[in-house]
Amino acid sequence: MLKSYAALFRTPGSIRFSSAGFVARMPIAQMSIAAVLLISTETGSYALAGQVAATAALAGAVVMPQTARLVDRYGQARIVRPIITIGATAWLLLASAVTFAWPMWTWFAFAALGGAMGPSVGAMVRARWVHALDDSTLQHRAFSWESSLDEVIFVIGPPLATFLATGISTYAAIVVPVALLLVGGWLFTAQRATEPPPSGRDAARFPSRRFLTGTFVSVALVYVCCGVAFGAIDVVAVALAEEAGHKSAAGIILAAFAAGSLLAGLTFGVLTFKRSVGAQFVTFACLFAVLGPLMLLSANLPLAGILLFVGGAAIAPLLISGITLIQRLVPPAALTEALTWSTTSLVIGITIGASGAGSIVDAHGARMGFWLPASVAVLAGLLAVISIPRLRFTAVTRTADALAVGLVDAPVPAASHTE
């Protein structure tokens, strides 16, 4: 496995941009739980904490694709640096607003600004891999590598956030990810040699409405379900740990969920499948539907950690196969925006999950909160099965859309995109 992934890093500059991108997106695993810990500690309300976290996520869902479109058109460094500076400032202001009891409307305002000014670093890293690698097998492996790094982030991030919040201060849980965003973001954008060239007007020639294909919508809806599960589990894990008298254990529970996904993602990246990417997507969505409801059996913290570890095994392969489908659906000139739409789908789900789970926990207790992620796991499997006819026509849709705006010169053989 290590040798298979080592082949990726023979590409000049790949170690530097991948590692810098890793640092820059560390905050994605910390900001939500840090906000929940901060607000629930100060107010005692998980519903309010979930609503503020959901506001940040919703703002990101609305704005991030537009930011990505600008990145495709004008380049990563030119767009990203001012955005992360504004976003970092907004998160610090949110922490101050909660800590010093500023008017509650400022909490939502700063959360919205911080969420909106969060560039999709993961999409930009993957765009660099596509730019650097011509071999589709290596591209798939690179996607698996980056998705595995995402899971490492979620293994490290929640325990770090909970340690900072419970061991130092809830304010520190916000300050550290802000510092990581600034340092990682500036190091990442400083690497101009591996940055994909700006597409200029080509990005504008592929309007966002052309993403509304059957395959793209199917992937997006499943991603929304995954996001609901992620957002809900963030809130429920904190509440379950607090009910058990071990609030700091929430990070360990969330790390177990991410660890299961991490191991599955690393394995998935080096395996060769005879079935199509669409079939892989449906298979892992169905596996998520089977494993997700197991979390309802979480009678105590150790069992919750074990069951979430098992449930996480379907996550990374599902997300990787979805990203691969999207990458094959759009031209390079619109790749960052397309990948960001997949992130946006997750974020929309996180918005729903965090807010919904907070209300359930406040009304019925932590264990009842698991019903929300368990239910959407089943829904994800059903949506994927329903979408099977759409997934068979990925190549046709991609070629027709790209030709319509003049971004490819000739049709791509259907088998290369359907399989």
Side-chain angles (χ1 to χ4, degrees):
M1 184 183 293
L2 293 177
K3 289 181 179 179
S4 297
Y5 283 108
L8 295 173
F9 296 103
R10 298 190 187 106
T11 305
S14 56
I15 293 178
R16 291 192 298 274
F17 77 69
S18 182
S19 57
F22 172 79
V23 174
R25 64 187 193 269
M26 273 287 291
I28 66 175
Q30 298 178 58
M31 285 302 193
S32 178
I33 189 171
V36 169
L37 288 165
L38 172 65
I39 296 168
S40 63
T41 299
E42 295 293 331
T43 67
S45 172
Y46 283 100
L48 177 60
Q51 288 164 9
V52 174
T55 298
L58 182 60
V62 173
V63 177
M64 279 197 300
Q66 316 313 317
T67 301
R69 192 170 187 81
L70 294 175
V71 167
D72 278 327
R73 187 166 185 177
Y74 298 108
Q76 295 179 354
R78 184 177 176 183
I79 300 300
V80 170
R81 288 188 169 185
I83 283 176
I84 62 174
T85 302
I86 297 171
T89 303
W91 282 111
L92 293 176
L93 288 171
L94 171 64
S96 298
V98 176
T99 303
F100 299 108
W102 295 359
M104 196 168 294
W105 67 265
T106 63
W107 303 10
F108 288 92
F110 292 138
L113 183 59
M117 296 293 103
S120 182
V121 179
M124 290 187 286
V125 173
R126 289 172 173 86
R128 290 196 182 215
W129 279 118
V130 172
H131 174 64
L133 301 172
D134 294 326
D135 186 278
S136 61
T137 300
L138 287 178
Q139 289 178 359
H140 170 74
R141 194 172 302 163
F143 287 169
S144 297
W145 171 256
E146 294 300 333
S147 293
S148 297
L149 287 185
D150 287 339
E151 300 309 328
V152 172
I153 288 168
F154 279 94
V155 169
I156 299 172
L160 177 59
T162 52
F163 167 76
L164 291 170
T166 59
I168 301 178
S169 74
T170 50
Y171 195 90
I174 297 288
V175 172
V176 170
V178 164
L180 292 172
L181 174 63
L182 289 171
V183 172
W186 281 77
L187 289 175
F188 177 75
T189 54
Q191 300 173 48
R192 305 302 290 271
T194 54
E195 181 179 346
S199 58
R201 294 182 179 180
D202 282 347
R205 293 165 62 198
F206 195 86
S208 298
R209 67 177 180 275
R210 293 194 177 276
F211 293 133
L212 297 177
T213 63
T215 298
F216 200 98
V217 171
S218 297
V219 173
L221 289 175
V222 172
Y223 271 41
V224 169
C225 292
C226 292
V228 172
F230 300 162
I233 288 171
D234 273 356
V235 175
V236 174
V238 174
L240 186 69
E242 185 175 35
E243 284 184 3
H246 302 284
K247 192 170 185 177
S248 60
I252 298 174
I253 295 173
L254 294 173
F257 183 51
S261 183
L262 165 63
L263 293 176
L266 287 172
T267 304
F268 180 73
V270 298
L271 295 178
T272 301
F273 294 90
K274 294 182 179 180
R275 306 194 69 183
S276 68
V277 175
Q280 293 170 38
F281 178 74
V282 173
T283 298
F284 287 106
C286 291
L287 181 61
F288 183 41
V290 172
L291 298 180
L294 293 178
M295 66 185 75
L296 294 173
L297 303 176
S298 301
N300 52 57
L301 291 180
L303 184 57
I306 293 170
L307 294 175
L308 286 175
F309 176 85
V310 173
I315 297 299
L318 174 58
L319 299 182
I320 293 165
S321 55
I323 287 172
T324 303
L325 281 169
I326 291 171
Q327 185 258 329
R328 295 180 177 186
L329 190 66
V330 301
L335 182 59
T336 305
E337 183 185 359
L339 294 178
T340 301
W341 274 112
S342 67
T343 303
T344 296
S345 300
L346 285 171
V347 170
I348 291 172
I350 290 170
T351 304
I352 299 169
S355 180
S359 298
I360 294 172
V361 167
D362 280 349
H364 304 289
R367 286 191 62 190
M368 289 299 295
F370 279 121
W371 276 97
L372 180 57
S375 300
V376 294
V378 174
L379 180 59
L382 292 174
L383 289 171
V385 171
I386 293 171
S387 70
I388 288 175
R390 297 287 187 183
L391 296 175
R392 291 175 178 170
F393 295 99
T394 299
V396 176
T397 304
R398 188 268 190 193
T399 304
D401 280 353
L403 282 172
V405 291
L407 294 176
V408 296
D409 297 322
V412 180
S416 69
H417 287 279
T418 305
E419 297 300 320

